[in-house]
PDB file of all heavy atoms in Angstrom:
ATOM      1  N   GLY A1459       5.412  13.389  -4.673  1.00 89.00           N
ATOM      2  CA  GLY A1459       6.123  12.161  -5.040  1.00 89.00           C
ATOM      3  C   GLY A1459       5.603  10.979  -4.262  1.00 89.00           C
ATOM      4  O   GLY A1459       5.437   9.883  -4.823  1.00 89.00           O
ATOM      5  N   PHE A1460       5.329  11.181  -2.955  1.00 88.00           N
ATOM      6  CA  PHE A1460       4.761  10.105  -2.151  1.00 88.00           C
ATOM      7  C   PHE A1460       3.382   9.697  -2.688  1.00 88.00           C
ATOM      8  O   PHE A1460       3.085   8.503  -2.732  1.00 88.00           O
ATOM      9  CB  PHE A1460       4.664  10.569  -0.703  1.00 88.00           C
ATOM     10  CG  PHE A1460       3.875   9.626   0.186  1.00 88.00           C
ATOM     11  CD1 PHE A1460       4.444   8.465   0.651  1.00 88.00           C
ATOM     12  CD2 PHE A1460       2.564   9.923   0.558  1.00 88.00           C
ATOM     13  CE1 PHE A1460       3.737   7.584   1.450  1.00 88.00           C
ATOM     14  CE2 PHE A1460       1.843   9.050   1.340  1.00 88.00           C
ATOM     15  CZ  PHE A1460       2.446   7.887   1.813  1.00 88.00           C
ATOM     16  N   VAL A1461       2.602  10.658  -3.114  1.00 91.00           N
ATOM     17  CA  VAL A1461       1.276  10.348  -3.655  1.00 91.00           C
ATOM     18  C   VAL A1461       1.397   9.509  -4.928  1.00 91.00           C
ATOM     19  O   VAL A1461       0.706   8.482  -5.073  1.00 91.00           O
ATOM     20  CB  VAL A1461       0.508  11.651  -3.949  1.00 91.00           C
ATOM     21  CG1 VAL A1461      -0.754  11.359  -4.745  1.00 91.00           C
ATOM     22  CG2 VAL A1461       0.173  12.371  -2.671  1.00 91.00           C
ATOM     23  N   VAL A1462       2.307   9.888  -5.808  1.00 92.00           N
ATOM     24  CA  VAL A1462       2.486   9.139  -7.041  1.00 92.00           C
ATOM     25  C   VAL A1462       2.921   7.707  -6.772  1.00 92.00           C
ATOM     26  O   VAL A1462       2.381   6.741  -7.319  1.00 92.00           O
ATOM     27  CB  VAL A1462       3.484   9.863  -7.977  1.00 92.00           C
ATOM     28  CG1 VAL A1462       3.795   9.014  -9.189  1.00 92.00           C
ATOM     29  CG2 VAL A1462       2.917  11.218  -8.409  1.00 92.00           C
ATOM     30  N   VAL A1463       3.927   7.547  -5.908  1.00 91.00           N
ATOM     31  CA  VAL A1463       4.434   6.204  -5.604  1.00 91.00           C
ATOM     32  C   VAL A1463       3.382   5.359  -4.879  1.00 91.00           C
ATOM     33  O   VAL A1463       3.138   4.193  -5.225  1.00 91.00           O
ATOM     34  CB  VAL A1463       5.712   6.313  -4.761  1.00 91.00           C
ATOM     35  CG1 VAL A1463       6.177   4.938  -4.304  1.00 91.00           C
ATOM     36  CG2 VAL A1463       6.830   6.978  -5.565  1.00 91.00           C
ATOM     37  N   GLY A1464       2.714   5.981  -3.878  1.00 90.00           N
ATOM     38  CA  GLY A1464       1.735   5.245  -3.120  1.00 90.00           C
ATOM     39  C   GLY A1464       0.520   4.832  -3.955  1.00 90.00           C
ATOM     40  O   GLY A1464       0.075   3.671  -3.907  1.00 90.00           O
ATOM     41  N   TYR A1465      -0.008   5.775  -4.721  1.00 92.00           N
ATOM     42  CA  TYR A1465      -1.165   5.475  -5.558  1.00 92.00           C
ATOM     43  C   TYR A1465      -0.813   4.388  -6.577  1.00 92.00           C
ATOM     44  O   TYR A1465      -1.583   3.454  -6.801  1.00 92.00           O
ATOM     45  CB  TYR A1465      -1.635   6.739  -6.281  1.00 92.00           C
ATOM     46  CG  TYR A1465      -2.917   6.576  -7.056  1.00 92.00           C
ATOM     47  CD1 TYR A1465      -4.122   6.938  -6.478  1.00 92.00           C
ATOM     48  CD2 TYR A1465      -2.932   6.044  -8.334  1.00 92.00           C
ATOM     49  CE1 TYR A1465      -5.320   6.783  -7.179  1.00 92.00           C
ATOM     50  CE2 TYR A1465      -4.093   5.898  -9.040  1.00 92.00           C
ATOM     51  CZ  TYR A1465      -5.298   6.258  -8.460  1.00 92.00           C
ATOM     52  OH  TYR A1465      -6.474   6.088  -9.146  1.00 92.00           O
ATOM     53  N   SER A1466       0.347   4.527  -7.211  1.00 92.00           N
ATOM     54  CA  SER A1466       0.753   3.530  -8.206  1.00 92.00           C
ATOM     55  C   SER A1466       0.901   2.147  -7.588  1.00 92.00           C
ATOM     56  O   SER A1466       0.471   1.140  -8.186  1.00 92.00           O
ATOM     57  CB  SER A1466       2.060   3.956  -8.872  1.00 92.00           C
ATOM     58  OG  SER A1466       1.942   5.239  -9.460  1.00 92.00           O
ATOM     59  N   THR A1467       1.508   2.107  -6.415  1.00 91.00           N
ATOM     60  CA  THR A1467       1.727   0.809  -5.761  1.00 91.00           C
ATOM     61  C   THR A1467       0.397   0.123  -5.461  1.00 91.00           C
ATOM     62  O   THR A1467       0.238  -1.085  -5.709  1.00 91.00           O
ATOM     63  CB  THR A1467       2.530   0.994  -4.472  1.00 91.00           C
ATOM     64  OG1 THR A1467       3.790   1.624  -4.776  1.00 91.00           O
ATOM     65  CG2 THR A1467       2.767  -0.336  -3.787  1.00 91.00           C
ATOM     66  N   PHE A1468      -0.553   0.867  -4.911  1.00 91.00           N
ATOM     67  CA  PHE A1468      -1.838   0.280  -4.564  1.00 91.00           C
ATOM     68  C   PHE A1468      -2.702  -0.011  -5.807  1.00 91.00           C
ATOM     69  O   PHE A1468      -3.577  -0.885  -5.773  1.00 91.00           O
ATOM     70  CB  PHE A1468      -2.616   1.191  -3.631  1.00 91.00           C
ATOM     71  CG  PHE A1468      -2.085   1.211  -2.223  1.00 91.00           C
ATOM     72  CD1 PHE A1468      -1.720   2.403  -1.621  1.00 91.00           C
ATOM     73  CD2 PHE A1468      -1.948   0.029  -1.503  1.00 91.00           C
ATOM     74  CE1 PHE A1468      -1.233   2.414  -0.322  1.00 91.00           C
ATOM     75  CE2 PHE A1468      -1.459   0.050  -0.206  1.00 91.00           C
ATOM     76  CZ  PHE A1468      -1.094   1.259   0.389  1.00 91.00           C
ATOM     77  N   ALA A1469      -2.456   0.698  -6.897  1.00 91.00           N
ATOM     78  CA  ALA A1469      -3.281   0.519  -8.088  1.00 91.00           C
ATOM     79  C   ALA A1469      -2.777  -0.615  -8.980  1.00 91.00           C
ATOM     80  O   ALA A1469      -3.530  -1.105  -9.853  1.00 91.00           O
ATOM     81  CB  ALA A1469      -3.338   1.815  -8.897  1.00 91.00           C
ATOM     82  N   VAL A1470      -1.513  -1.021  -8.813  1.00 90.00           N
ATOM     83  CA  VAL A1470      -0.943  -2.031  -9.718  1.00 90.00           C
ATOM     84  C   VAL A1470      -1.739  -3.354  -9.702  1.00 90.00           C
ATOM     85  O   VAL A1470      -2.017  -3.927 -10.760  1.00 90.00           O
ATOM     86  CB  VAL A1470       0.524  -2.267  -9.386  1.00 90.00           C
ATOM     87  CG1 VAL A1470       1.049  -3.589  -9.922  1.00 90.00           C
ATOM     88  CG2 VAL A1470       1.370  -1.124  -9.917  1.00 90.00           C
ATOM     89  N   PRO A1471      -2.116  -3.903  -8.531  1.00 89.00           N
ATOM     90  CA  PRO A1471      -2.865  -5.176  -8.560  1.00 89.00           C
ATOM     91  C   PRO A1471      -4.153  -5.087  -9.375  1.00 89.00           C
ATOM     92  O   PRO A1471      -4.525  -6.049 -10.070  1.00 89.00           O
ATOM     93  CB  PRO A1471      -3.169  -5.462  -7.086  1.00 89.00           C
ATOM     94  CG  PRO A1471      -2.105  -4.723  -6.351  1.00 89.00           C
ATOM     95  CD  PRO A1471      -1.840  -3.503  -7.129  1.00 89.00           C
ATOM     96  N   GLY A1472      -4.846  -3.928  -9.329  1.00 87.00           N
ATOM     97  CA  GLY A1472      -6.053  -3.804 -10.135  1.00 87.00           C
ATOM     98  C   GLY A1472      -5.760  -3.721 -11.612  1.00 87.00           C
ATOM     99  O   GLY A1472      -6.489  -4.292 -12.426  1.00 87.00           O
ATOM    100  N   LEU A1473      -4.702  -3.033 -11.983  1.00 87.00           N
ATOM    101  CA  LEU A1473      -4.329  -2.940 -13.394  1.00 87.00           C
ATOM    102  C   LEU A1473      -3.907  -4.272 -13.957  1.00 87.00           C
ATOM    103  O   LEU A1473      -4.149  -4.584 -15.135  1.00 87.00           O
ATOM    104  CB  LEU A1473      -3.206  -1.912 -13.573  1.00 87.00           C
ATOM    105  CG  LEU A1473      -3.554  -0.442 -13.220  1.00 87.00           C
ATOM    106  CD1 LEU A1473      -2.294   0.409 -13.290  1.00 87.00           C
ATOM    107  CD2 LEU A1473      -4.605   0.072 -14.161  1.00 87.00           C
ATOM    108  N   LEU A1474      -3.271  -5.095 -13.109  1.00 87.00           N
ATOM    109  CA  LEU A1474      -2.839  -6.435 -13.563  1.00 87.00           C
ATOM    110  C   LEU A1474      -3.927  -7.490 -13.412  1.00 87.00           C
ATOM    111  O   LEU A1474      -3.760  -8.611 -13.911  1.00 87.00           O
ATOM    112  CB  LEU A1474      -1.602  -6.867 -12.764  1.00 87.00           C
ATOM    113  CG  LEU A1474      -0.344  -6.002 -12.897  1.00 87.00           C
ATOM    114  CD1 LEU A1474       0.757  -6.544 -12.035  1.00 87.00           C
ATOM    115  CD2 LEU A1474       0.111  -5.937 -14.353  1.00 87.00           C
ATOM    116  N   GLY A1475      -5.023  -7.154 -12.720  1.00 85.00           N
ATOM    117  CA  GLY A1475      -6.046  -8.146 -12.486  1.00 85.00           C
ATOM    118  C   GLY A1475      -5.595  -9.269 -11.579  1.00 85.00           C
ATOM    119  O   GLY A1475      -5.961 -10.433 -11.802  1.00 85.00           O
ATOM    120  N   ARG A1476      -4.800  -8.908 -10.527  1.00 85.00           N
ATOM    121  CA  ARG A1476      -4.258  -9.931  -9.607  1.00 85.00           C
ATOM    122  C   ARG A1476      -4.763  -9.677  -8.194  1.00 85.00           C
ATOM    123  O   ARG A1476      -4.116  -9.013  -7.390  1.00 85.00           O
ATOM    124  CB  ARG A1476      -2.728  -9.848  -9.637  1.00 85.00           C
ATOM    125  CG  ARG A1476      -2.098 -10.122 -11.007  1.00 85.00           C
ATOM    126  CD  ARG A1476      -2.235 -11.583 -11.381  1.00 85.00           C
ATOM    127  NE  ARG A1476      -1.534 -12.443 -10.451  1.00 85.00           N
ATOM    128  CZ  ARG A1476      -0.251 -12.730 -10.534  1.00 85.00           C
ATOM    129  NH1 ARG A1476       0.499 -12.232 -11.521  1.00 85.00           N
ATOM    130  NH2 ARG A1476       0.306 -13.531  -9.647  1.00 85.00           N
ATOM    131  N   PRO A1477      -5.967 -10.180  -7.869  1.00 87.00           N
ATOM    132  CA  PRO A1477      -6.499  -9.946  -6.531  1.00 87.00           C
ATOM    133  C   PRO A1477      -5.653 -10.584  -5.431  1.00 87.00           C
ATOM    134  O   PRO A1477      -5.636 -10.105  -4.312  1.00 87.00           O
ATOM    135  CB  PRO A1477      -7.908 -10.577  -6.586  1.00 87.00           C
ATOM    136  CG  PRO A1477      -7.835 -11.546  -7.728  1.00 87.00           C
ATOM    137  CD  PRO A1477      -6.879 -10.965  -8.716  1.00 87.00           C
ATOM    138  N   GLU A1478      -4.936 -11.687  -5.736  1.00 85.00           N
ATOM    139  CA  GLU A1478      -4.126 -12.327  -4.704  1.00 85.00           C
ATOM    140  C   GLU A1478      -2.973 -11.428  -4.247  1.00 85.00           C
ATOM    141  O   GLU A1478      -2.571 -11.476  -3.071  1.00 85.00           O
ATOM    142  CB  GLU A1478      -3.579 -13.687  -5.215  1.00 85.00           C
ATOM    143  CG  GLU A1478      -2.533 -13.593  -6.309  1.00 85.00           C
ATOM    144  CD  GLU A1478      -3.131 -13.419  -7.698  1.00 85.00           C
ATOM    145  OE1 GLU A1478      -4.353 -13.238  -7.799  1.00 85.00           O
ATOM    146  OE2 GLU A1478      -2.355 -13.461  -8.671  1.00 85.00           O
ATOM    147  N   ILE A1479      -2.472 -10.577  -5.144  1.00 87.00           N
ATOM    148  CA  ILE A1479      -1.429  -9.634  -4.753  1.00 87.00           C
ATOM    149  C   ILE A1479      -2.026  -8.542  -3.859  1.00 87.00           C
ATOM    150  O   ILE A1479      -1.432  -8.147  -2.853  1.00 87.00           O
ATOM    151  CB  ILE A1479      -0.766  -9.016  -5.993  1.00 87.00           C
ATOM    152  CG1 ILE A1479      -0.072 -10.089  -6.817  1.00 87.00           C
ATOM    153  CG2 ILE A1479       0.206  -7.908  -5.608  1.00 87.00           C
ATOM    154  CD1 ILE A1479       0.589  -9.577  -8.074  1.00 87.00           C
ATOM    155  N   ALA A1480      -3.198  -8.059  -4.220  1.00 88.00           N
ATOM    156  CA  ALA A1480      -3.857  -7.033  -3.420  1.00 88.00           C
ATOM    157  C   ALA A1480      -4.194  -7.535  -2.026  1.00 88.00           C
ATOM    158  O   ALA A1480      -4.113  -6.798  -1.039  1.00 88.00           O
ATOM    159  CB  ALA A1480      -5.119  -6.555  -4.117  1.00 88.00           C
ATOM    160  N   GLU A1481      -4.589  -8.832  -1.928  1.00 88.00           N
ATOM    161  CA  GLU A1481      -4.933  -9.412  -0.617  1.00 88.00           C
ATOM    162  C   GLU A1481      -3.749  -9.377   0.342  1.00 88.00           C
ATOM    163  O   GLU A1481      -3.924  -9.346   1.574  1.00 88.00           O
ATOM    164  CB  GLU A1481      -5.409 -10.829  -0.795  1.00 88.00           C
ATOM    165  CG  GLU A1481      -6.717 -10.991  -1.562  1.00 88.00           C
ATOM    166  CD  GLU A1481      -7.934 -10.737  -0.692  1.00 88.00           C
ATOM    167  OE1 GLU A1481      -7.758 -10.488   0.512  1.00 88.00           O
ATOM    168  OE2 GLU A1481      -9.058 -10.779  -1.235  1.00 88.00           O
ATOM    169  N   VAL A1482      -2.542  -9.382  -0.176  1.00 86.00           N
ATOM    170  CA  VAL A1482      -1.340  -9.314   0.663  1.00 86.00           C
ATOM    171  C   VAL A1482      -0.849  -7.889   0.818  1.00 86.00           C
ATOM    172  O   VAL A1482      -0.468  -7.439   1.913  1.00 86.00           O
ATOM    173  CB  VAL A1482      -0.216 -10.225   0.064  1.00 86.00           C
ATOM    174  CG1 VAL A1482       1.076 -10.038   0.826  1.00 86.00           C
ATOM    175  CG2 VAL A1482      -0.653 -11.688   0.077  1.00 86.00           C
ATOM    176  N   LEU A1483      -0.855  -7.141  -0.271  1.00 88.00           N
ATOM    177  CA  LEU A1483      -0.293  -5.784  -0.290  1.00 88.00           C
ATOM    178  C   LEU A1483      -1.098  -4.810   0.595  1.00 88.00           C
ATOM    179  O   LEU A1483      -0.500  -4.051   1.356  1.00 88.00           O
ATOM    180  CB  LEU A1483      -0.234  -5.269  -1.723  1.00 88.00           C
ATOM    181  CG  LEU A1483       0.237  -3.827  -1.897  1.00 88.00           C
ATOM    182  CD1 LEU A1483       1.656  -3.658  -1.406  1.00 88.00           C
ATOM    183  CD2 LEU A1483       0.110  -3.397  -3.345  1.00 88.00           C
ATOM    184  N   PHE A1484      -2.399  -4.871   0.497  1.00 90.00           N
ATOM    185  CA  PHE A1484      -3.216  -3.836   1.180  1.00 90.00           C
ATOM    186  C   PHE A1484      -3.137  -3.945   2.690  1.00 90.00           C
ATOM    187  O   PHE A1484      -2.933  -2.916   3.372  1.00 90.00           O
ATOM    188  CB  PHE A1484      -4.664  -3.910   0.708  1.00 90.00           C
ATOM    189  CG  PHE A1484      -4.855  -3.384  -0.698  1.00 90.00           C
ATOM    190  CD1 PHE A1484      -3.765  -3.106  -1.515  1.00 90.00           C
ATOM    191  CD2 PHE A1484      -6.136  -3.204  -1.223  1.00 90.00           C
ATOM    192  CE1 PHE A1484      -3.949  -2.628  -2.817  1.00 90.00           C
ATOM    193  CE2 PHE A1484      -6.322  -2.722  -2.500  1.00 90.00           C
ATOM    194  CZ  PHE A1484      -5.230  -2.445  -3.298  1.00 90.00           C
ATOM    195  N   PRO A1485      -3.300  -5.114   3.307  1.00 90.00           N
ATOM    196  CA  PRO A1485      -3.175  -5.185   4.770  1.00 90.00           C
ATOM    197  C   PRO A1485      -1.790  -4.786   5.258  1.00 90.00           C
ATOM    198  O   PRO A1485      -1.639  -4.012   6.222  1.00 90.00           O
ATOM    199  CB  PRO A1485      -3.500  -6.621   5.105  1.00 90.00           C
ATOM    200  CG  PRO A1485      -4.308  -7.116   3.964  1.00 90.00           C
ATOM    201  CD  PRO A1485      -3.754  -6.420   2.764  1.00 90.00           C
ATOM    202  N   PHE A1486      -0.754  -5.329   4.608  1.00 88.00           N
ATOM    203  CA  PHE A1486       0.607  -4.950   5.027  1.00 88.00           C
ATOM    204  C   PHE A1486       0.903  -3.486   4.786  1.00 88.00           C
ATOM    205  O   PHE A1486       1.530  -2.798   5.598  1.00 88.00           O
ATOM    206  CB  PHE A1486       1.638  -5.809   4.285  1.00 88.00           C
ATOM    207  CG  PHE A1486       1.705  -7.229   4.747  1.00 88.00           C
ATOM    208  CD1 PHE A1486       2.076  -8.234   3.890  1.00 88.00           C
ATOM    209  CD2 PHE A1486       1.405  -7.559   6.060  1.00 88.00           C
ATOM    210  CE1 PHE A1486       2.141  -9.569   4.341  1.00 88.00           C
ATOM    211  CE2 PHE A1486       1.457  -8.846   6.518  1.00 88.00           C
ATOM    212  CZ  PHE A1486       1.837  -9.872   5.651  1.00 88.00           C
ATOM    213  N   GLY A1487       0.420  -2.967   3.633  1.00 89.00           N
ATOM    214  CA  GLY A1487       0.599  -1.540   3.387  1.00 89.00           C
ATOM    215  C   GLY A1487      -0.097  -0.671   4.408  1.00 89.00           C
ATOM    216  O   GLY A1487       0.411   0.376   4.818  1.00 89.00           O
ATOM    217  N   GLY A1488      -1.297  -1.079   4.837  1.00 89.00           N
ATOM    218  CA  GLY A1488      -2.017  -0.324   5.871  1.00 89.00           C
ATOM    219  C   GLY A1488      -1.272  -0.333   7.201  1.00 89.00           C
ATOM    220  O   GLY A1488      -1.187   0.708   7.866  1.00 89.00           O
ATOM    221  N   VAL A1489      -0.718  -1.464   7.576  1.00 87.00           N
ATOM    222  CA  VAL A1489       0.048  -1.537   8.824  1.00 87.00           C
ATOM    223  C   VAL A1489       1.256  -0.600   8.773  1.00 87.00           C
ATOM    224  O   VAL A1489       1.509   0.168   9.722  1.00 87.00           O
ATOM    225  CB  VAL A1489       0.493  -2.992   9.088  1.00 87.00           C
ATOM    226  CG1 VAL A1489       1.457  -3.040  10.250  1.00 87.00           C
ATOM    227  CG2 VAL A1489      -0.732  -3.874   9.360  1.00 87.00           C
ATOM    228  N   VAL A1490       1.991  -0.650   7.668  1.00 85.00           N
ATOM    229  CA  VAL A1490       3.150   0.213   7.520  1.00 85.00           C
ATOM    230  C   VAL A1490       2.752   1.681   7.533  1.00 85.00           C
ATOM    231  O   VAL A1490       3.423   2.537   8.142  1.00 85.00           O
ATOM    232  CB  VAL A1490       3.922  -0.144   6.225  1.00 85.00           C
ATOM    233  CG1 VAL A1490       5.036   0.873   5.965  1.00 85.00           C
ATOM    234  CG2 VAL A1490       4.507  -1.549   6.341  1.00 85.00           C
ATOM    235  N   LEU A1491       1.637   2.019   6.862  1.00 89.00           N
ATOM    236  CA  LEU A1491       1.202   3.390   6.788  1.00 89.00           C
ATOM    237  C   LEU A1491       0.816   3.950   8.148  1.00 89.00           C
ATOM    238  O   LEU A1491       1.221   5.046   8.536  1.00 89.00           O
ATOM    239  CB  LEU A1491      -0.007   3.476   5.835  1.00 89.00           C
ATOM    240  CG  LEU A1491      -0.439   4.845   5.396  1.00 89.00           C
ATOM    241  CD1 LEU A1491       0.670   5.530   4.583  1.00 89.00           C
ATOM    242  CD2 LEU A1491      -1.701   4.763   4.544  1.00 89.00           C
ATOM    243  N   VAL A1492       0.044   3.197   8.934  1.00 88.00           N
ATOM    244  CA  VAL A1492      -0.380   3.679  10.237  1.00 88.00           C
ATOM    245  C   VAL A1492       0.807   3.810  11.185  1.00 88.00           C
ATOM    246  O   VAL A1492       0.947   4.800  11.908  1.00 88.00           O
ATOM    247  CB  VAL A1492      -1.466   2.728  10.829  1.00 88.00           C
ATOM    248  CG1 VAL A1492      -1.835   3.191  12.224  1.00 88.00           C
ATOM    249  CG2 VAL A1492      -2.699   2.723   9.942  1.00 88.00           C
ATOM    250  N   LEU A1493       1.676   2.799  11.191  1.00 83.00           N
ATOM    251  CA  LEU A1493       2.859   2.896  12.054  1.00 83.00           C
ATOM    252  C   LEU A1493       3.798   4.010  11.589  1.00 83.00           C
ATOM    253  O   LEU A1493       4.449   4.650  12.416  1.00 83.00           O
ATOM    254  CB  LEU A1493       3.614   1.554  12.039  1.00 83.00           C
ATOM    255  CG  LEU A1493       2.888   0.385  12.709  1.00 83.00           C
ATOM    256  CD1 LEU A1493       3.750  -0.879  12.648  1.00 83.00           C
ATOM    257  CD2 LEU A1493       2.539   0.695  14.149  1.00 83.00           C
ATOM    258  N   GLY A1494       3.830   4.248  10.289  1.00 81.00           N
ATOM    259  CA  GLY A1494       4.610   5.372   9.799  1.00 81.00           C
ATOM    260  C   GLY A1494       4.095   6.691  10.309  1.00 81.00           C
ATOM    261  O   GLY A1494       4.857   7.592  10.672  1.00 81.00           O
ATOM    262  N   TRP A1495       2.762   6.856  10.324  1.00 82.00           N
ATOM    263  CA  TRP A1495       2.161   8.067  10.881  1.00 82.00           C
ATOM    264  C   TRP A1495       2.517   8.263  12.338  1.00 82.00           C
ATOM    265  O   TRP A1495       2.647   9.379  12.823  1.00 82.00           O
ATOM    266  CB  TRP A1495       0.650   8.012  10.744  1.00 82.00           C
ATOM    267  CG  TRP A1495       0.129   8.840   9.614  1.00 82.00           C
ATOM    268  CD1 TRP A1495       0.027   8.469   8.277  1.00 82.00           C
ATOM    269  CD2 TRP A1495      -0.357  10.174   9.689  1.00 82.00           C
ATOM    270  NE1 TRP A1495      -0.486   9.509   7.563  1.00 82.00           N
ATOM    271  CE2 TRP A1495      -0.729  10.566   8.386  1.00 82.00           C
ATOM    272  CE3 TRP A1495      -0.480  11.079  10.724  1.00 82.00           C
ATOM    273  CZ2 TRP A1495      -1.244  11.823   8.111  1.00 82.00           C
ATOM    274  CZ3 TRP A1495      -0.988  12.346  10.455  1.00 82.00           C
ATOM    275  CH2 TRP A1495      -1.371  12.696   9.172  1.00 82.00           C
ATOM    276  N   LEU A1496       2.685   7.163  13.023  1.00 77.00           N
ATOM    277  CA  LEU A1496       2.963   7.240  14.454  1.00 77.00           C
ATOM    278  C   LEU A1496       4.431   7.554  14.737  1.00 77.00           C
ATOM    279  O   LEU A1496       4.728   8.361  15.609  1.00 77.00           O
ATOM    280  CB  LEU A1496       2.563   5.918  15.145  1.00 77.00           C
ATOM    281  CG  LEU A1496       2.775   5.840  16.657  1.00 77.00           C
ATOM    282  CD1 LEU A1496       1.977   6.923  17.348  1.00 77.00           C
ATOM    283  CD2 LEU A1496       2.383   4.469  17.167  1.00 77.00           C
ATOM    284  N   PHE A1497       5.347   6.920  13.980  1.00 71.00           N
ATOM    285  CA  PHE A1497       6.764   6.989  14.354  1.00 71.00           C
ATOM    286  C   PHE A1497       7.639   7.812  13.422  1.00 71.00           C
ATOM    287  O   PHE A1497       8.629   8.353  13.852  1.00 71.00           O
ATOM    288  CB  PHE A1497       7.327   5.569  14.442  1.00 71.00           C
ATOM    289  CG  PHE A1497       6.809   4.779  15.607  1.00 71.00           C
ATOM    290  CD1 PHE A1497       6.025   3.675  15.413  1.00 71.00           C
ATOM    291  CD2 PHE A1497       7.105   5.184  16.908  1.00 71.00           C
ATOM    292  CE1 PHE A1497       5.550   2.932  16.483  1.00 71.00           C
ATOM    293  CE2 PHE A1497       6.612   4.449  17.988  1.00 71.00           C
ATOM    294  CZ  PHE A1497       5.839   3.338  17.776  1.00 71.00           C
ATOM    295  N   LEU A1498       7.326   7.884  12.121  1.00 66.00           N
ATOM    296  CA  LEU A1498       8.219   8.584  11.202  1.00 66.00           C
ATOM    297  C   LEU A1498       8.381  10.072  11.559  1.00 66.00           C
ATOM    298  O   LEU A1498       9.503  10.597  11.420  1.00 66.00           O
ATOM    299  CB  LEU A1498       7.720   8.446   9.770  1.00 66.00           C
ATOM    300  CG  LEU A1498       8.075   7.122   9.084  1.00 66.00           C
ATOM    301  CD1 LEU A1498       7.586   7.142   7.639  1.00 66.00           C
ATOM    302  CD2 LEU A1498       9.583   6.859   9.110  1.00 66.00           C
ATOM    303  N   PRO A1499       7.332  10.774  12.007  1.00 57.00           N
ATOM    304  CA  PRO A1499       7.581  12.163  12.422  1.00 57.00           C
ATOM    305  C   PRO A1499       8.613  12.285  13.537  1.00 57.00           C
ATOM    306  O   PRO A1499       9.336  13.266  13.618  1.00 57.00           O
ATOM    307  CB  PRO A1499       6.197  12.619  12.882  1.00 57.00           C
ATOM    308  CG  PRO A1499       5.246  11.783  12.131  1.00 57.00           C
ATOM    309  CD  PRO A1499       5.898  10.429  12.047  1.00 57.00           C
TER     310      PRO A1499
END
């Protein structure tokens, strides 16, 4: 389920052709992902 949600979230800007959304989503998503690996466990 995490794979489906994560992949869909990151793929949406490409499907919509909106690079400005990806420019914001990807860096913030990466920060949340790395910190999640550190603290969520």
Side-chain angles (χ1 to χ4, degrees):
F1460 170 77
V1461 170
V1462 172
V1463 173
Y1465 187 96
S1466 302
T1467 302
F1468 286 125
V1470 162
L1473 295 174
L1474 298 179
R1476 299 289 298 275
E1478 69 279 5
I1479 297 178
E1481 295 279 358
V1482 173
L1483 175 63
F1484 287 10
F1486 286 151
V1489 171
V1490 172
L1491 192 63
V1492 176
L1493 292 181
W1495 257 85
L1496 181 59
F1497 290 114
L1498 280 182

